[in-house]
Amino acid sequence: MYESPSWLHELWIARETLWAGFQASVAVSALAIVFGTLIGIVAGLILTYGKFWVRAPFRLYVDLIRGTPVFVLVLACFYMLPALGWQISAFQAGAVGLTLFCGSHVSEIVRGALQAIPRGQLEAGKAIGLTFYQSLGYVLLPQALRQILPTWVNSSTEIVKASTLLSVIGVAELLLSTQQVIARTFMTLEFYLFAGFLFFVINYAIELFGRYIEKRVALP
């Protein structure tokens, strides 16, 4: 009598496919979060303290990207960048799209946190002889960081979840890898639940990192 293979048996067979998808999801999410955060910090500083002619293009970037669905942004990067002569892979196109999306959101987080700090603190820094950059590094950013972190963690987890959209352009991240396994095994519920668990692991790691940084920068 034929007995269908157990889920654990199929999981063992599919381990390399799922592991490759997991690594791809972690890699593209990490790239987007790291570079998106750097872009967001620079854009947030410029939007807060820059002159109008410097702020204008960054304001356009932030408003345009934040108003565009991330799915459309990923497709635009995948199809438009090669058309403009930039030959990149689907993985790279997806990473660029997620990075731009992350950067636009982080910039608003940074801008809001900096604007919440009384401007008198910047003037006080000048009064004791600090340059603008010294005031920024020693006075403003440490305070802003405490407000930025919780929202940054939320934005980072959204990037991880948005990485599933890259399956549409053929990136074999965790969702697409899971779907490939399901197409072979027909164990839909089991493998989708397992994929959900892996995404939870990634996002929980980001949350733990955020808590660690919050404790490090918390006031004594």
Side-chain angles (χ1 to χ4, degrees), residues 5 55 66 100 120 171:
R55 292 199 314 268
R66 290 183 74 223
L100 293 174
V171 177

Side-chain angles (χ1 to χ4, degrees), residues 46-47 51-61:
I46 291 174
L47 289 174
K51 297 183 182 298
F52 173 78
W53 60 272
V54 180
R55 292 199 314 268
F58 284 89
R59 184 76 268 168
L60 177 63
Y61 154 69

Side-chain angles (χ1 to χ4, degrees), residues 51-197:
K51 297 183 182 298
F52 173 78
W53 60 272
V54 180
R55 292 199 314 268
F58 284 89
R59 184 76 268 168
L60 177 63
Y61 154 69
V62 171
D63 290 343
L64 179 64
I65 299 300
R66 290 183 74 223
T68 303
V70 63
F71 179 63
V72 175
L73 192 59
V74 168
L75 290 177
C77 291
F78 181 67
Y79 289 109
M80 291 179 63
L81 293 180
L84 295 174
W86 190 10
Q87 300 302 319
I88 58 176
S89 66
F91 180 91
Q92 292 169 330
V96 170
L98 292 180
T99 297
L100 293 174
F101 185 78
C102 180
S104 66
H105 284 264
V106 172
S107 66
E108 285 296 277
I109 295 171
V110 172
R111 182 187 64 82
L114 289 172
Q115 289 185 340
I117 300 173
R119 294 192 67 86
Q121 296 198 24
L122 184 59
E123 300 300 325
K126 291 180 181 179
I128 62 174
L130 295 179
T131 66
F132 170 76
Y133 295 105
Q134 287 175 327
S135 297
L136 194 64
Y138 294 120
V139 180
L140 302 178
L141 284 180
Q143 296 180 71
L145 185 59
R146 300 184 189 103
Q147 301 182 51
I148 290 170
L149 275 172
T151 316
W152 176 85
V153 168
N154 182 64
S155 294
S156 297
T157 57
E158 290 299 321
I159 292 298
V160 174
K161 289 182 280 187
S163 69
T164 58
L165 297 173
L166 272 60
S167 62
V168 177
I169 59 175
V171 177
E173 43 69 61
L174 182 56
L175 178 62
L176 183 57
S177 299
T178 301
Q179 291 172 336
Q180 291 172 347
V181 173
I182 290 173
R184 179 179 59 81
T185 64
F186 299 102
M187 294 181 175
T188 306
L189 179 62
E190 294 90 338
F191 279 103
Y192 273 138
L193 286 175
F194 184 69
F197 169 74

